[in-house]
Amino acid sequence: MPEVSLAAGDLSARALEVHRRLIEFYGERRLIPRRGPMHELVATMLSHRTTQKNEAQAYERMWRQYGSWEAIRDAPLEDLAQAIRGANFEYAKAGNIQRALRIITETEGKPSIDFLRDLSPEEGRNWLMRLPGVGIKTASLVLLFCFGKPLLPVDTHVHRVSQRVGLIGRKVSAAAAHEELLALLPPDPQTLYNFHVNLLHLGQQVCLSRAPRHGKCPLRDVCDYYREEETQSTEPGAR
């Protein structure tokens, strides 16, 4: 990938440079669906405000106990909440999952969201966001990961790194960042997928919320946050 100019104010060029460096750092991954659309949707709903391990264990327990979306949809709420315990907020999540399954079934006659493949990215995202417990991140992730729609999911890591590097403002919310970051990148699902995954990994492993590991970061010379910290550390009186 060729070098790009980092002219002042050229956020698209900076975003492409971030993408290029992280491809070099982590490698490039092919966008291949990792699981079916309904699995991706419900697992992502379970993932809110919990760990990946807890999400996976809750999903496995739920599926082992019920074995079909119809059974999950029609289970007593108390029983489903107990099946997904450990994922945090199990009663709220169980209720949202069941209501979402009912809406999907009423729309399609079966618990399937395969019809989203034929909708535009905006139409698909808007439809998913009408489901209880589904926000812009979950909708964008399902559509990108499962159907290759040119959308960019922004989780807490992608949001933090993008703010620190200077791709979005410090006061831009995660919800607003979906549109701002998407506008900086080409509408190519492969690019958007790698940008998401690589920023997520950088946020988990290097650009930590506390005590970021600047010495290991491939972005430090194009990062506003690093430059500010370096300036503060060299000011008179700084310790």
Side-chain angles (χ1 to χ4, degrees), residues 61-141:
R61 282 195 309 272
M62 177 187 70
W63 196 257
R64 188 170 60 244
Q65 181 166 331
Y66 294 105
S68 74
W69 297 119
E70 291 84 355
I72 292 168
R73 178 194 64 205
D74 299 334
L77 177 62
E78 174 79 24
D79 293 350
L80 180 59
Q82 288 304 308
I84 64 171
R85 69 189 184 281
N88 297 335
F89 310 101
E90 58 264 28
Y91 283 93
K93 290 181 180 179
N96 286 338
I97 289 168
Q98 289 189 319
R99 288 193 294 274
L101 286 169
R102 292 183 191 117
I103 292 169
I104 292 166
T105 303
E106 289 168 4
T107 301
E108 285 297 286
K110 58 184 178 180
S112 169
I113 55 172
D114 289 350
F115 71 94
L116 295 174
R117 189 182 309 278
D118 299 324
L119 301 185
S120 71
E122 294 75 18
E123 289 171 331
R125 192 171 66 180
N126 289 339
W127 193 93
L128 283 172
M129 288 176 64
R130 289 196 289 268
L131 298 177
V134 177
I136 190 169
K137 184 199 77 172
T138 296
S140 299
L141 187 148

